C-alpha cells in the first residue's frame, strides 16, 4: 500500500484502537495448491491481543470448508492439528466511514486556480505477520484455542459493538446460551487462525494535506450530507487536520 508521509499513522495505540473498532479484516494469502487458486481472501472478524506482545496478536476463525482454509491445510499438512506458515500473510482493516470528495468542496483552491480533482477519503490499517492454523478441534491445544477465540470474539462484539453490557443495558449473548453439543459441532467445522504481527501500518487519508480553507470546505461539505456518515467524515477531517497542523508546529 502506498502511504505518503502526510497520511501515515504509526502510533501503536492508535492502530490497535482502530483494529478493535473495525474488527472485520480481509485475510489475504498466496498459497500454492493443487486444487485451489493461488490468491485467496476472506472477510473475517478478528480479536486483537496486545498484553504479551507490543506489536500484537490477531485471532480469528474461518470455516473448514473455506477454499482458503483448504489451501492452508494442503500446504501445511505436516501436522494436522496445528500448522504454522513460513510466509507472511496480510490482513487489511478499513474504517466503515469513507466517502467520495467532490472538487466543489475545495472552496479555497477551486475558485483560486481551479487546479483540483476528485478523490476518496478513507482510513485503513494493514498487518503483516506469520500465521498459525489450529485445525483439529479434538486436540487439547487446538480445542482450547477455538473455545477461547469464540468466547472472546462474542464478548467483544456483544459489548463493544452492540453495547450489550448488562445492568441498565441489555444482557450480552454468551456462548453458554447455546447448547454445548451444538457448540462442539460448530468447533469441528472451523479452523482457528493466529497471526503474530510483524508489521502494522496505518493510512488515514482525510484531506489533511489540503490548504486550511479547503479542509474546512471538505468538513462543511460532509456536514451537509444527510445521515451519520457525513457527520462522522466531517469529524475525521477536522481531527486529522488538527493533528497534521500540530505535527507541523512541533517540527
Amino acid at each position: 500500500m502506498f502511504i505518503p508521509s502526510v497520511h501515515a499513522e504509526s502510533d501503536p495505540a492508535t492502530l490497535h484502537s482502530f483494529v478493535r473498532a473495525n474488527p472485520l479484516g480481509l485475510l489475504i494469502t498466496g498459497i500454492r495448491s493443487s486444487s485451489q487458486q493461488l490468491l485467496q481472501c476472506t472477510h473475517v472478524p478478528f480479536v486483537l491481543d496486545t498484553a504479551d506482545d507490543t506489536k500484537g496478536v490477531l485471532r480469528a476463525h474461518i470455516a473448514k470448508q473455506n477454499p482458503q482454509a483448504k489451501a492452508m491445510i494442503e500446504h501445511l499438512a505436516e501436522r494436522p492439528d496445528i500448522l504454522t506458515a513460513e510466509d507472511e500473510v496480510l490482513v487489511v482493516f478499513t474504517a466503515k466511514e469513507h466517502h467520495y470528495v467532490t472538487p466543489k468542496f475545495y472552496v479555497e483552491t477551486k475558485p483560486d486556480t481551479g487546479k483540483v480533482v476528485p478523490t476518496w477519503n478513507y482510513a485503513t490499517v494493514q498487518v503483516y505477520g506469520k500465521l498459525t492454523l489450529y485445525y483439529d478441534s479434538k486436540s487439547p491445544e487446538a480445542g482450547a484455542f477455538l473455545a477461547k477465540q469464540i468466547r472472546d470474539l462474542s464478548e467483544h462484539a456483544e459489548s463493544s459493538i452492540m453495547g450489550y453490557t448488562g445492568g441498565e443495558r441489555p444482557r450480552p449473548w454468551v456462548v453458554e446460551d447455546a447448547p454445548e453439543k451444538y457448540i462442539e459441532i460448530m468447533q469441528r467445522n472451523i479452523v482457528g487462525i493466529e497471526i503474530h504481527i510483524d508489521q502494522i501500518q496505518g493510512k488515514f487519508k482525510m484531506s489533511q494535506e489540503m490548504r486550511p480553507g479547503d479542509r474546512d470546505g471538505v468538513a462543511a461539505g460532509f456536514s451537509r450530507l444527510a445521515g451519520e456518515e457525513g457527520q462522522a467524515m466531517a469529524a475525521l477531517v477536522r481531527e486529522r487536520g488538527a493533528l497534521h497542523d500540530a505535527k507541523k508546529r512541533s517540527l
Side-chain angles (χ1 to χ4, degrees), residues 179-217:
E180 183 177 354
K181 290 294 184 182
Y182 175 75
I183 296 299
E184 290 178 1
I185 294 172
M186 292 295 99
Q187 286 188 196
R188 288 200 294 269
N189 289 283
I190 60 176
V191 295
I193 292 170
E194 182 179 63
I195 301 171
H196 286 263
I197 298 174
D198 292 328
Q199 185 178 19
I200 182 169
Q201 302 171 315
K203 180 176 182 179
F204 290 70
K205 182 180 178 295
M206 289 293 165
S207 300
Q208 61 264 51
E209 75 280 7
M210 302 301 294
R211 296 161 69 179
D214 290 329
R215 288 200 320 244
D216 290 343

Side-chain angles (χ1 to χ4, degrees), residues 9 11-23 48 50 93 125 156 160 200 204:
E9 178 58 70
D11 177 59
T14 300
L15 299 177
H16 291 161
S17 294
F18 183 95
V19 170
R20 292 191 174 101
N22 303 277
L48 173 64
T50 56
F93 299 91
V125 168
H156 174 67
S160 298
I200 182 169
F204 290 70

Side-chain angles (χ1 to χ4, degrees), residues 148-163:
K148 177 176 174 56
Q149 161 60 19
I150 292 171
R151 283 175 172 80
D152 289 351
L153 180 59
S154 298
E155 180 180 343
H156 174 67
E158 290 286 315
S159 61
S160 298
I161 297 176
M162 297 303 300

Side-chain angles (χ1 to χ4, degrees), residues 63-83:
K64 194 174 290 186
Q65 292 301 311
N66 186 316
Q68 192 171 26
K70 291 181 177 180
M72 293 179 194
I73 294 166
E74 177 187 336
H75 182 68
L76 306 169
E78 296 178 2
R79 182 182 171 188
D81 55 344
I82 302 173
L83 312 167

Side-chain angles (χ1 to χ4, degrees), residues 28-195:
I28 303 169
T29 58
I31 300 174
R32 296 198 177 278
S33 166
S34 63
S35 58
Q36 309 298 332
Q37 291 180 308
L38 171 67
L39 296 176
Q40 296 278 351
C41 67
T42 299
H43 285 91
V44 55
F46 283 86
V47 173
L48 173 64
D49 297 325
T50 56
D52 300 324
D53 189 317
T54 55
K55 291 185 178 180
V57 177
L58 291 172
R59 289 187 285 120
H61 62 272
I62 62 177
K64 194 174 290 186
Q65 292 301 311
N66 186 316
Q68 192 171 26
K70 291 181 177 180
M72 293 179 194
I73 294 166
E74 177 187 336
H75 182 68
L76 306 169
E78 296 178 2
R79 182 182 171 188
D81 55 344
I82 302 173
L83 312 167
T84 301
E86 294 182 359
D87 297 328
E88 285 186 326
V89 299
L90 172 63
V91 185
V92 180
F93 299 91
T94 304
K96 57 182 178 293
E97 299 91 1
H98 58 86
H99 209 283
Y100 171 78
V101 182
T102 172
K104 293 183 177 182
F105 285 173
Y106 300 135
V107 296
E108 184 174 352
T109 302
K110 183 177 182 295
D112 185 16
T113 68
K115 294 180 179 180
V116 291
V117 293
T119 190
W120 203 283
N121 277 2
Y122 63 94
T124 184
V125 168
Q126 65 178 18
V127 171
Y128 292 95
K130 296 294 180 64
L131 180 146
T132 297
L133 191 72
Y134 292 82
Y135 172 71
D136 185 2
S137 64
K138 295 180 181 179
S139 72
E141 191 172 355
F145 177 91
L146 289 169
K148 177 176 174 56
Q149 161 60 19
I150 292 171
R151 283 175 172 80
D152 289 351
L153 180 59
S154 298
E155 180 180 343
H156 174 67
E158 290 286 315
S159 61
S160 298
I161 297 176
M162 297 303 300
Y164 297 154
T165 56
E168 296 181 356
R169 304 296 299 274
R171 172 186 170 277
W173 180 89
V174 294
V175 174
E176 287 73 21
D177 289 345
E180 183 177 354
K181 290 294 184 182
Y182 175 75
I183 296 299
E184 290 178 1
I185 294 172
M186 292 295 99
Q187 286 188 196
R188 288 200 294 269
N189 289 283
I190 60 176
V191 295
I193 292 170
E194 182 179 63
I195 301 171

